[in-house]
Amino acid sequence: MTAADGLTIAQLRRELAHLIALADTAERPKPDLINPPDHSMAGPEWRVAQGAPIGVRPPLWVVRSVDEPETRDGVYVAQPDPYVTYDWERQLEFVPMRPVDARRLAMALLAAADRADHLSRDVPRLEDRRPA
């Protein structure tokens, strides 16, 4: 008996959709833009638009890795307030993080998203099922 035995077709389809979503997070994304040398935080920048509960434009998370020798050993993350309408790019406050902490945060977000997906779909994770 395999882990998939006893699952309905709908559960298998949801599990497949989840696995495809995981594949979308497996490859590191390319930066959305590279800030030029004259920028206050020159270097690669990743932008993640978040679904907003209110407002016209979605909140924008911004993650930067800067080229400046004094600060290039960190990762800089700006978390917007989705309830405030303002110019996301000009009024963001960046939190500096050590790379090890940024990786731990990224992995925790992936783990929590995985769990939330399974709980919301009421689909047992295949790796959690015990063979009979």
Side-chain angles (χ1 to χ4, degrees):
M1 182 174 228
T2 68
D5 290 342
L7 290 177
T8 67
I9 296 294
Q11 288 174 318
L12 287 171
R13 284 184 179 145
R14 287 190 294 263
E15 180 66 20
L16 182 58
H18 170 72
L19 293 173
I20 290 169
L22 282 178
D24 287 342
T25 61
E27 186 176 333
R28 293 183 184 152
K30 291 183 174 36
D32 293 294
L33 62 96
I34 306 291
N35 291 315
D38 61 340
H39 190 276
S40 63
M41 295 180 89
E45 176 175 297
W46 294 262
R47 297 178 173 194
V48 180
Q50 174 185 338
I54 60 169
V56 189
R57 295 187 305 181
L60 185 67
W61 288 71
V62 180
V63 178
R64 290 179 175 162
S65 172
V66 299
D67 296 338
E68 186 66 34
E70 293 84 29
T71 55
R72 66 179 170 201
D73 62 343
V75 174
Y76 301 86
V77 180
Q79 173 191 359
D81 182 345
Y83 298 100
V84 175
T85 303
Y86 56 86
D87 185 340
W88 302 114
E89 295 179 48
R90 293 199 178 122
Q91 297 176 347
L92 292 176
E93 293 184 24
F94 286 87
V95 175
M97 301 179 80
R98 296 178 311 152
V100 67
D101 295 328
R103 284 188 185 93
R104 288 181 29 238
L105 175 61
M107 295 307 293
L109 287 169
L110 286 172
D114 182 55
R115 184 173 188 278
D117 282 344
H118 282 284
L119 290 175
S120 68
R121 293 184 180 126
D122 196 29
V123 178
R125 295 185 322 160
L126 290 179
E127 61 265 25
D128 292 342
R129 294 178 56 95
R130 297 173 200 214

